[in-house]
Amino acid sequence: MTDLQNYGPWVVIAGGSEGVGAEFARLLAAAGLNLVLLARKSGPLEDTAEQCRAHGVEVRTLAVDLVDSSAIDGLFDATADLEVGLLIYNAGANTCSEQFLDGDLADFQRVIDLNIGAAMRLVQHYGRPMRDRRRGGILLVGSMAGYLGSVRHTVYGGVKAFGRIFAEGLWLELRDYNVHVLELVLGVTRTPAMERVGLNFDVPGMRVAEPVEVAREGLEQLPNGPVYIAGGNGDDVARRNDFDRAKVVLGTHRFMQKLLGGN
Ligand SMILES: NC(=O)c1ccc[n+]([C@@H]2O[C@H](COP(=O)([O-])OP(=O)(O)OC[C@H]3O[C@@H](n4cnc5c(N)ncnc54)[C@H](OP(=O)(O)O)[C@@H]3O)[C@@H](O)[C@H]2O)c1
């Protein structure tokens, strides 16, 4: 069992209001860590914060769009007085599912800004003092989409691939400083965001994880970076790493089409 006290006294969760992020918040509050929760919608943010406060910890909330760089300046101001021992970067589901040539570049850019630009800013800002203190953790939530190209995921798959490679390098750079880095790779997970986009979780043959399970796995595996495949999807990821890229990309595409009832 991971000793979560090593990651206190404060935890910043980017995307900490719903789904996996809210489960991280509840687990960490139950372990006695104070929280800064970030998300755009203030309703779910306050609901999760209240549940966490019931454990007797301090919780600050900030309704921010992480794609807005001035909002990130505000976040840094609002946390300047805190010793942050753990950063969890969970926000980052796909927000532009057009085929690449049909989509708006500005919409794709927001996917890049959220998953790469904002994540890099937060990691550098909160990671530097962790390295100085020789203690801390950085957990990035990734996706199996980052292991191969797929239709309508050209940019999303790319940013998730970036996240994994970034985490691996960061893990190497920080391992001598006792700062744990983990990319927690998720498959399909039953989150409110996925429910809102109408994902059918009941497709036979589709493995669906629950947010609380993968959050728990992430905290357990945090000292064992750089990458952990949650939800029992390790074999599927191994298949996606085949060097014959046409075989694996087309094979997975055809399987997904069958699963989702397409052509
Ligand atoms: N669910 C899945 O099936 C699945 C599969 C593979 C990987 N993942 C990964 O798991 C992570 C969480 O995904 P999710 O399904 O829970 O959806 P999500 O849309 O990333 O939402 C997660 C949290 O992030 C917040 N958020 C989203 N966009 C934000 C923004 N621009 N600024 C600030 N906060 C933002 C959400 O609250 P607000 O909406 O109020 O901002 C919510 O609290 C993502 O990194 C995703 O890539 C998910």
Side-chain angles (χ1 to χ4, degrees):
M1 187 65 193
T2 309
D3 182 1
L4 295 173
Q5 299 312 315
N6 287 334
Y7 305 108
W10 284 86
V11 180
V12 171
I13 307 180
S17 63
E18 291 184 338
V20 182
E23 298 297 348
F24 277 127
R26 286 189 273 269
L27 291 167
L28 290 161
L33 277 72
N34 302 313
L35 303 169
V36 180
L37 304 180
L38 315 172
R40 292 164 300 179
K41 298 187 291 289
S42 52
L45 201 51
E46 293 310 325
D47 289 348
T48 302
E50 269 316 296
Q51 291 163 19
C52 293
R53 287 187 190 109
H55 290 282
V57 299
E58 283 184 66
V59 183
R60 292 186 189 176
T61 58
L62 210 58
V64 284
D65 187 342
L66 290 157
V67 166
D68 172 0
S69 74
S70 62
I72 296 182
D73 295 337
L75 162 67
F76 293 164
D77 289 345
T79 56
D81 58 326
L82 304 181
E83 181 180 327
V84 174
L86 175 60
L87 168 66
I88 296 180
Y89 200 93
N90 171 63
N94 192 20
T95 51
C96 183
S97 294
E98 297 297 323
Q99 294 215 5
F100 184 70
L101 296 186
D102 300 328
D104 188 332
L105 268 187
D107 291 337
F108 287 123
Q109 187 61 49
R110 276 190 277 279
V111 179
I112 297 170
D113 291 347
L114 179 61
N115 280 281
I116 299 182
M120 282 171 53
R121 277 195 75 189
L122 267 63
V123 165
Q124 201 171 63
H125 181 81
Y126 295 110
R128 282 174 172 161
M130 291 181 202
R131 182 181 57 182
D132 292 344
R133 289 192 294 268
R134 292 182 163 267
R135 185 176 69 82
I138 297 171
L139 190 158
L140 308 173
V141 179
S143 172
M144 285 169 65
Y147 281 88
L148 88 184
S150 51
V151 172
R152 299 181 186 276
H153 280 167
T154 49
V155 174
Y156 176 67
V159 298
K160 291 302 185 183
F162 171 90
R164 192 176 72 259
I165 302 300
F166 176 66
E168 289 180 356
L170 197 62
W171 175 81
L172 268 180
E173 290 181 357
L174 294 179
R175 77 198 160 122
D176 291 339
Y177 294 91
N178 195 31
V179 176
H180 301 154
V181 178
L182 182 78
E183 157 107 347
L184 179 70
V185 177
L186 304 188
V188 175
T189 309
R190 199 184 309 273
T191 61
M194 289 301 109
E195 279 165 357
R196 280 193 293 271
V197 297
L199 191 73
N200 180 5
F201 295 108
D202 298 323
V203 175
M206 187 187 277
R207 190 194 288 266
V208 180
E210 298 301 326
V212 67
E213 292 166 7
V214 296
R216 197 173 285 125
E217 283 183 87
L219 294 178
E220 278 167 11
Q221 296 300 326
L222 186 47
N224 308 319
V227 174
Y228 180 76
I229 316 294
N233 288 307
D235 289 349
D236 196 352
V237 165
R239 270 192 297 279
R240 290 172 183 226
N241 274 327
D242 193 301
F243 70 90
D244 184 341
R245 300 310 298 160
K247 183 183 86 177
V248 72
V249 168
L250 271 171
T252 307
H253 174 67
R254 288 183 184 129
F255 175 74
M256 291 308 291
Q257 295 295 102
K258 259 195 234 150
L259 209 59
L260 301 172
N263 301 315

